[in-house]
mmCIF file of all heavy atoms in Angstrom:
data_model
loop_
_atom_site.group_PDB
_atom_site.id
_atom_site.type_symbol
_atom_site.label_atom_id
_atom_site.label_comp_id
_atom_site.label_asym_id
_atom_site.label_seq_id
_atom_site.Cartn_x
_atom_site.Cartn_y
_atom_site.Cartn_z
ATOM 1 N N LEU A 520 18.011 50.494 8.005
ATOM 2 C CA LEU A 520 18.029 50.402 9.468
ATOM 3 C C LEU A 520 18.110 48.938 9.893
ATOM 4 O O LEU A 520 17.678 48.052 9.177
ATOM 5 C CB LEU A 520 16.764 51.046 10.053
ATOM 6 C CG LEU A 520 16.606 52.541 9.817
ATOM 7 C CD1 LEU A 520 15.221 52.998 10.270
ATOM 8 C CD2 LEU A 520 17.690 53.315 10.544
ATOM 9 N N PRO A 521 18.625 48.682 11.095
ATOM 10 C CA PRO A 521 18.742 47.288 11.548
ATOM 11 C C PRO A 521 17.409 46.710 11.986
ATOM 12 O O PRO A 521 16.463 47.425 12.308
ATOM 13 C CB PRO A 521 19.698 47.392 12.737
ATOM 14 C CG PRO A 521 19.473 48.767 13.271
ATOM 15 C CD PRO A 521 19.186 49.624 12.062
ATOM 16 N N SER A 522 17.358 45.379 12.003
ATOM 17 C CA SER A 522 16.252 44.658 12.622
ATOM 18 C C SER A 522 16.887 43.636 13.554
ATOM 19 O O SER A 522 18.042 43.261 13.383
ATOM 20 C CB SER A 522 15.374 43.970 11.575
ATOM 21 O OG SER A 522 16.125 43.016 10.875
ATOM 22 N N GLY A 523 16.135 43.215 14.556
ATOM 23 C CA GLY A 523 16.697 42.236 15.471
ATOM 24 C C GLY A 523 15.915 42.129 16.756
ATOM 25 O O GLY A 523 14.739 42.477 16.817
ATOM 26 N N VAL A 524 16.610 41.653 17.805
ATOM 27 C CA VAL A 524 15.996 41.447 19.119
ATOM 28 C C VAL A 524 16.987 41.922 20.180
ATOM 29 O O VAL A 524 18.188 41.702 20.069
ATOM 30 C CB VAL A 524 15.662 39.958 19.368
ATOM 31 C CG1 VAL A 524 14.981 39.774 20.726
ATOM 32 C CG2 VAL A 524 14.799 39.400 18.260
ATOM 33 N N VAL A 525 16.430 42.572 21.199
ATOM 34 C CA VAL A 525 17.212 43.026 22.351
ATOM 35 C C VAL A 525 16.580 42.418 23.595
ATOM 36 O O VAL A 525 15.357 42.408 23.737
ATOM 37 C CB VAL A 525 17.193 44.568 22.455
ATOM 38 C CG1 VAL A 525 17.869 45.052 23.717
ATOM 39 C CG2 VAL A 525 17.829 45.193 21.233
ATOM 40 N N TRP A 526 17.404 41.870 24.486
ATOM 41 C CA TRP A 526 16.933 41.319 25.750
ATOM 42 C C TRP A 526 17.374 42.262 26.870
ATOM 43 O O TRP A 526 18.572 42.555 26.996
ATOM 44 C CB TRP A 526 17.527 39.940 25.997
ATOM 45 C CG TRP A 526 16.935 38.858 25.166
ATOM 46 C CD1 TRP A 526 15.947 37.990 25.535
ATOM 47 C CD2 TRP A 526 17.293 38.490 23.830
ATOM 48 N NE1 TRP A 526 15.674 37.121 24.511
ATOM 49 C CE2 TRP A 526 16.489 37.405 23.455
ATOM 50 C CE3 TRP A 526 18.221 38.981 22.913
ATOM 51 C CZ2 TRP A 526 16.577 36.799 22.210
ATOM 52 C CZ3 TRP A 526 18.319 38.392 21.658
ATOM 53 C CH2 TRP A 526 17.496 37.311 21.326
ATOM 54 N N VAL A 527 16.409 42.724 27.679
ATOM 55 C CA VAL A 527 16.698 43.671 28.763
ATOM 56 C C VAL A 527 16.383 43.009 30.093
ATOM 57 O O VAL A 527 15.248 42.602 30.348
ATOM 58 C CB VAL A 527 15.858 44.963 28.616
ATOM 59 C CG1 VAL A 527 16.156 45.923 29.756
ATOM 60 C CG2 VAL A 527 16.115 45.614 27.266
ATOM 61 N N ASP A 528 17.395 42.894 30.954
ATOM 62 C CA ASP A 528 17.230 42.347 32.302
ATOM 63 C C ASP A 528 16.702 43.468 33.191
ATOM 64 O O ASP A 528 17.351 44.500 33.346
ATOM 65 C CB ASP A 528 18.577 41.843 32.823
ATOM 66 C CG ASP A 528 18.458 41.125 34.150
ATOM 67 O OD1 ASP A 528 17.618 41.523 34.988
ATOM 68 O OD2 ASP A 528 19.215 40.161 34.357
ATOM 69 N N THR A 529 15.517 43.275 33.758
ATOM 70 C CA THR A 529 14.895 44.341 34.550
ATOM 71 C C THR A 529 15.492 44.481 35.941
ATOM 72 O O THR A 529 15.267 45.489 36.590
ATOM 73 C CB THR A 529 13.375 44.095 34.689
ATOM 74 O OG1 THR A 529 13.166 42.837 35.343
ATOM 75 C CG2 THR A 529 12.694 44.120 33.341
ATOM 76 N N ARG A 530 16.244 43.502 36.383
ATOM 77 C CA ARG A 530 16.854 43.618 37.703
ATOM 78 C C ARG A 530 17.814 44.808 37.744
ATOM 79 O O ARG A 530 17.839 45.576 38.688
ATOM 80 C CB ARG A 530 17.587 42.343 38.085
ATOM 81 C CG ARG A 530 18.241 42.445 39.467
ATOM 82 C CD ARG A 530 18.990 41.209 39.836
ATOM 83 N NE ARG A 530 18.056 40.099 39.960
ATOM 84 C CZ ARG A 530 18.409 38.828 39.983
ATOM 85 N NH1 ARG A 530 19.673 38.490 39.878
ATOM 86 N NH2 ARG A 530 17.509 37.883 40.093
ATOM 87 N N ASP A 531 18.611 44.959 36.679
ATOM 88 C CA ASP A 531 19.587 46.056 36.618
ATOM 89 C C ASP A 531 19.339 47.008 35.449
ATOM 90 O O ASP A 531 20.159 47.883 35.180
ATOM 91 C CB ASP A 531 21.003 45.490 36.497
ATOM 92 C CG ASP A 531 21.453 44.780 37.750
ATOM 93 O OD1 ASP A 531 21.076 45.222 38.851
ATOM 94 O OD2 ASP A 531 22.182 43.779 37.638
ATOM 95 N N ASP A 532 18.219 46.821 34.733
ATOM 96 C CA ASP A 532 17.923 47.639 33.553
ATOM 97 C C ASP A 532 19.103 47.676 32.589
ATOM 98 O O ASP A 532 19.593 48.739 32.201
ATOM 99 C CB ASP A 532 17.521 49.063 33.951
ATOM 100 C CG ASP A 532 16.215 49.094 34.707
ATOM 101 O OD1 ASP A 532 15.349 48.254 34.410
ATOM 102 O OD2 ASP A 532 16.055 49.946 35.594
ATOM 103 N N VAL A 533 19.567 46.500 32.210
ATOM 104 C CA VAL A 533 20.719 46.399 31.320
ATOM 105 C C VAL A 533 20.387 45.494 30.134
ATOM 106 O O VAL A 533 19.639 44.522 30.278
ATOM 107 C CB VAL A 533 21.962 45.875 32.083
ATOM 108 C CG1 VAL A 533 21.762 44.450 32.530
ATOM 109 C CG2 VAL A 533 23.221 46.001 31.256
ATOM 110 N N ILE A 534 20.908 45.847 28.970
ATOM 111 C CA ILE A 534 20.758 44.993 27.796
ATOM 112 C C ILE A 534 21.749 43.848 27.936
ATOM 113 O O ILE A 534 22.956 44.071 27.957
ATOM 114 C CB ILE A 534 21.020 45.782 26.504
ATOM 115 C CG1 ILE A 534 19.968 46.874 26.342
ATOM 116 C CG2 ILE A 534 21.032 44.839 25.291
ATOM 117 C CD1 ILE A 534 20.246 47.830 25.195
ATOM 118 N N VAL A 535 21.240 42.614 28.062
ATOM 119 C CA VAL A 535 22.121 41.466 28.253
ATOM 120 C C VAL A 535 22.483 40.783 26.935
ATOM 121 O O VAL A 535 23.489 40.088 26.856
ATOM 122 C CB VAL A 535 21.532 40.440 29.249
ATOM 123 C CG1 VAL A 535 21.478 41.027 30.643
ATOM 124 C CG2 VAL A 535 20.178 39.952 28.813
ATOM 125 N N ARG A 536 21.656 40.984 25.915
ATOM 126 C CA ARG A 536 21.956 40.380 24.610
ATOM 127 C C ARG A 536 21.295 41.211 23.519
ATOM 128 O O ARG A 536 20.174 41.690 23.683
ATOM 129 C CB ARG A 536 21.448 38.943 24.550
ATOM 130 C CG ARG A 536 21.770 38.236 23.239
ATOM 131 C CD ARG A 536 21.281 36.792 23.276
ATOM 132 N NE ARG A 536 21.359 36.167 21.984
ATOM 133 C CZ ARG A 536 22.374 35.422 21.557
ATOM 134 N NH1 ARG A 536 23.411 35.208 22.339
ATOM 135 N NH2 ARG A 536 22.369 34.876 20.366
ATOM 136 N N GLN A 537 22.005 41.340 22.421
ATOM 137 C CA GLN A 537 21.486 42.008 21.235
ATOM 138 C C GLN A 537 21.796 41.122 20.041
ATOM 139 O O GLN A 537 22.908 40.623 19.924
ATOM 140 C CB GLN A 537 22.192 43.343 20.999
ATOM 141 C CG GLN A 537 22.049 44.353 22.084
ATOM 142 C CD GLN A 537 23.114 45.433 21.945
ATOM 143 O OE1 GLN A 537 23.896 45.581 22.855
ATOM 144 N NE2 GLN A 537 23.155 46.165 20.866
ATOM 145 N N GLU A 538 20.821 40.934 19.183
ATOM 146 C CA GLU A 538 21.020 40.261 17.899
ATOM 147 C C GLU A 538 20.449 41.188 16.849
ATOM 148 O O GLU A 538 19.296 41.594 16.957
ATOM 149 C CB GLU A 538 20.274 38.929 17.838
ATOM 150 C CG GLU A 538 20.828 37.853 18.707
ATOM 151 C CD GLU A 538 20.077 36.532 18.543
ATOM 152 O OE1 GLU A 538 19.213 36.420 17.638
ATOM 153 O OE2 GLU A 538 20.353 35.622 19.333
ATOM 154 N N LEU A 539 21.243 41.529 15.861
ATOM 155 C CA LEU A 539 20.715 42.399 14.826
ATOM 156 C C LEU A 539 21.402 42.165 13.499
ATOM 157 O O LEU A 539 22.477 41.566 13.429
ATOM 158 C CB LEU A 539 20.811 43.870 15.225
ATOM 159 C CG LEU A 539 22.182 44.479 15.437
ATOM 160 C CD1 LEU A 539 22.640 45.188 14.194
ATOM 161 C CD2 LEU A 539 22.097 45.473 16.576
#
Side-chain angles (χ1 to χ4, degrees):
L520 296 172
S522 62
V524 182
V525 174
W526 286 263
V527 179
D528 186 325
T529 60
R530 180 181 295 164
D531 292 325
D532 294 327
V533 66
I534 296 172
V535 293
R536 182 178 170 95
Q537 299 163 241
E538 290 183 8
L539 63 96

